[in-house]
Amino acid sequence: HVALAVPDVEKAVEYYTKTMGFPEAFRSTDEKGQTTLVYVQISKNTFVELQPANPQRPPGINHFGLHVENMEAATAMFKQRGANVTEPRVSATKAILSNITDPNGVRIELAELPPESLHRQAMERWK
């Protein structure tokens, strides 16, 4: 996936769903009911993640994500190769995530998608 920080999430969702024709796969909200992210689905396993822009997350490309089958093995391999890899965590979407920052400051999100993750559920619903 590619994650975009946008000034108005609902306007962006409307554009990607209505103008581009990509269905909304899922969204996540915080404890106040504010949208924290929306995934639109391009194909069975390709998504665009839309996030609200803010002072810490300016508008534009925020990161790109790579699917991994085994987070433990993937993070160990990248660490052995010298990559700056964070410890894995489980996200609100139930994906297992870790991040790598490349030498240019680009964030690469590693995502293991177990059956309970919203990503995997969207992929399984795809027709």
Side-chain angles (χ1 to χ4, degrees):
H1 72 270
V2 173
L4 306 176
V6 296
D8 185 325
V9 171
E10 294 309 323
K11 271 186 162 176
V13 170
E14 183 177 350
Y15 178 81
Y16 281 93
T17 58
K18 296 205 176 11
T19 304
M20 298 300 292
F22 304 135
E24 181 177 323
F26 61 89
R27 68 174 56 214
S28 192
T29 56
D30 63 18
E31 61 283 345
K32 297 176 187 171
Q34 299 293 315
T35 300
T36 56
L37 63 83
V38 177
Y39 267 62
V40 292
Q41 196 163 9
I42 311 308
S43 68
K44 180 176 181 172
N45 58 2
T46 305
F47 300 91
V48 171
E49 177 182 350
L50 303 169
Q51 307 173 333
N54 60 42
Q56 295 78 37
R57 184 188 304 128
I61 296 175
N62 180 265
H63 67 270
F64 70 90
L66 300 175
H67 175 241
V68 299
E69 291 296 331
N70 181 315
M71 184 62 72
E72 188 177 322
T75 55
M77 175 190 68
F78 287 121
K79 283 179 184 178
Q80 182 181 25
R81 293 179 180 176
N84 176 14
V85 184
T86 64
E87 289 302 311
R89 65 178 179 83
V90 178
S91 72
T93 63
K94 304 211 178 12
I96 301 166
L97 304 177
S98 179
N99 290 292
I100 298 172
T101 303
D102 84 0
N104 300 300
V106 175
R107 183 163 64 96
I108 304 162
E109 182 180 78
L110 304 177
E112 181 180 333
L113 307 175
E116 63 274 14
S117 72
L118 298 180
H119 311 70
R120 178 70 64 195
Q121 291 173 17
M123 291 162 62
E124 296 301 325
R125 286 192 305 267
W126 186 263
K127 295 182 177 28

